[in-house]
Amino acid sequence: MEANIAIPTDGKETWNGGGGIKPLGASYGKMMMWFFIVSDALTFSGFLAAYGLTRFKFIDSWPIADEVFTHFPFLHGVHAPMYYVALMTFILIVSSVTMVLAVDAGHQMKQKKVAWYMFATIIFGIIFVGSQAWEWKNFISGSYGAVKTTEGRILQFVKDGHQIALSDFVVGERTDQRVQHERQNGLWFEKEGSVSSYSVAQIQDSYKNNSEIQVRSQLIDPATKQKIILSREDGMAQLAKSKMVVEGANLHVNEYGNTIFADFFFFITGFHGFHVLSGIIINIIIFFNVILGTYERRGHYEMVEKVGLYWHFVDLVWVFVFTFFYLV
C-alpha cells in the first residue's frame, strides 16, 4: 500500500518560473553560471599552481619575461619589453567596463545603449584575441635564435652585454648541404620540421672568428638575476657540445631557455584565449538578440547579465595569468 506524503511549500517552489524561492536571490540560470565559474576557477587555479611549482623547481634556468616578450606591432627592431602585453591587459579591462555599462543599461531597459556597449565589448575582445595570436606568432618564430647542446641546455649569443640574433654575426655558407626532409624524399610516414637557417658548424666558425661575440648560458646568476655570460674559452667549450640550432619556440625546443616554459605558455594562454573566443561568440549571439528586441519582449536583460558574469571571470583570470607569466 503506497502512502502519498504531501510536502508543504506554502505555495512557493524553488525556481518556480521565477516566482518562487530564489537561493541567494538568484535565478536558476544565474546560479548555474556561478557554479560554472567556480568550477572553471578551480581548473585555472590548478594550472597556475602547476606552473608556479614547475617554475620554482627550474628557477635557475627559467626564461626572463622581459627578454621574451619584447615585440610591439609596427615597431620592428625596437626593444619594448612587456609594453604590448600591458596594452593587451588594458584592452581586456576596458572591455570589462563596457560590459558593466551594458548590464547597467539593461537594468534601465535601454535597448540602444545595451547594443552599443555590447558591440564595444565584442570589438575589444576581438582585438585581445588577435593580439594573443600575434604574440604566439612572434613567440613561435623567435627573435634571436640559439643553440641546443647535447646536455639539453640553450646557448644564446651576446655582444657588449646585449643579446644578438644569429643573423647579426653568422657568416658563410652551409657546409652540410642540408635538404628539407619530406615524405616524398625520405621515409614515407615521416615529415620533418623546418630546417634551421644556419648549421651548427657555421655558428661555431663565426663565433671562433669574431672575438666580440660571447656565449650566454640559460642559467641565471642568483646575485644579478641575469643569465650568466661565459668567457670566450668556456663559450667555445660549450659550443663544441652543440646538437642543433633552435629558432623560435614550440613544444620540443625553446630558444629562450627551458622548454617547459613554452609548454605552459601555449597551454595556459591558449586555454584562456579559448575562453575569450567563446565569450566573444556568446556576446555576438546576445548582441543580435538585443538588436532583434528579444529581451525587450521578455521584459528583462538577464541574459546580458549572465554573459557579463562570464566575461568578468575571463578578465579576472587574465589578471592572474598576466601576473604569473609576465610580472613575477
Side-chain angles (χ1 to χ4, degrees):
M1 185 174 182
E2 296 182 358
N4 295 323
I5 302 175
I7 301 177
T9 61
D10 297 329
K12 297 181 180 180
E13 296 179 7
T14 302
W15 286 315
N16 182 23
I21 300 172
K22 295 183 178 181
L24 303 178
S27 66
Y28 177 82
K30 197 181 295 184
M31 183 65 75
M32 292 304 103
M33 178 59 76
W34 275 113
F35 284 160
F36 168 77
I37 288 174
V38 170
S39 63
D40 214 27
L42 293 174
T43 302
F44 272 106
S45 298
F47 293 158
L48 292 176
Y51 171 84
L53 179 63
T54 306
R55 176 173 178 170
F56 179 76
K57 182 177 180 180
F58 298 102
I59 191 66
D60 61 335
S61 62
W62 209 248
I64 300 173
D66 283 351
E67 297 178 351
V68 178
F69 308 103
T70 61
H71 301 88
F72 203 96
F74 311 113
L75 296 178
H76 181 70
V78 177
H79 186 72
M82 309 296 292
Y83 290 1
Y84 195 59
V85 179
L87 178 60
M88 288 169 52
T89 304
F90 175 75
I91 289 171
L92 200 60
I93 291 174
V94 171
S95 75
S96 199
V97 174
T98 56
M99 179 57 79
V100 168
L101 295 174
V103 172
D104 182 64
H107 289 159
Q108 301 176 44
M109 299 299 292
K110 295 180 179 178
Q111 181 183 4
K112 288 186 177 180
K113 281 192 172 182
V114 174
W116 277 111
Y117 288 131
M118 288 288 293
F119 180 74
T121 303
I122 292 167
I123 295 301
F124 286 132
I126 291 174
I127 293 173
F128 178 83
V129 171
S131 299
Q132 267 200 324
W134 183 84
E135 187 182 49
W136 269 43
K137 168 187 166 295
N138 287 291
F139 186 73
I140 292 171
S141 60
S143 305
Y144 301 100
V147 170
K148 185 175 183 178
T149 68
T150 53
E151 298 171 344
R153 293 187 176 182
I154 293 295
L155 302 178
Q156 300 170 336
F157 299 89
V158 297
K159 182 179 180 180
D160 299 327
H162 300 287
Q163 186 176 1
I164 59 174
L166 297 178
S167 58
D168 292 333
F169 75 95
V170 177
V171 295
E173 299 292 333
R174 293 185 70 119
T175 57
D176 55 357
Q177 299 298 319
R178 187 70 166 81
V179 178
Q180 177 75 40
H181 172 73
E182 300 287 350
R183 289 189 178 95
Q184 61 267 25
N185 62 13
L187 298 176
W188 65 269
F189 54 86
E190 287 187 5
K191 182 178 179 181
E192 182 185 41
S194 58
V195 175
S196 60
S197 304
Y198 307 99
S199 67
V200 171
Q202 270 183 287
I203 295 174
Q204 291 172 334
D205 290 341
S206 298
Y207 173 80
K208 188 185 302 181
N209 297 327
N210 193 334
S211 60
E212 296 180 344
I213 307 300
Q214 289 181 284
V215 170
R216 185 170 71 172
S217 169
Q218 72 176 27
L219 299 178
I220 298 175
D221 185 349
T224 63
K225 304 298 182 182
Q226 299 295 321
K227 294 183 179 179
I228 300 172
I229 298 177
L230 307 178
S231 65
R232 287 280 300 175
E233 293 73 18
D234 290 341
M236 196 67 238
Q238 289 297 320
L239 278 179
K241 304 175 184 177
S242 298
K243 177 183 178 182
M244 62 183 295
V245 179
V246 180
E247 293 174 309
N250 52 51
L251 298 178
H252 304 288
V253 291
N254 176 14
E255 74 166 44
Y256 305 102
N258 199 308
T259 306
I260 304 178
F261 173 84
D263 297 342
F264 273 109
F265 175 79
F266 288 127
F267 183 72
I268 294 181
T269 61
F271 192 58
H272 177 265
F274 172 76
H275 278 69
V276 177
L277 181 61
S278 301
I280 292 171
I281 294 172
I282 296 170
N283 275 333
I284 290 174
I285 295 172
I286 302 299
F287 170 74
F288 280 111
N289 277 318
V290 171
I291 295 296
L292 295 173
T294 302
Y295 308 121
E296 284 288 319
R297 291 190 293 273
R298 289 183 184 177
H300 61 81
Y301 282 83
E302 185 177 294
M303 281 299 297
V304 176
E305 189 171 352
K306 284 188 284 189
V307 75
L309 288 173
Y310 175 77
W311 194 258
H312 296 321
F313 165 72
V314 169
D315 289 2
L316 181 61
V317 168
W318 176 253
V319 172
F320 285 97
V321 173
F322 175 73
T323 302
F324 272 66
F325 265 103
Y326 305 100
L327 296 184
V328 177

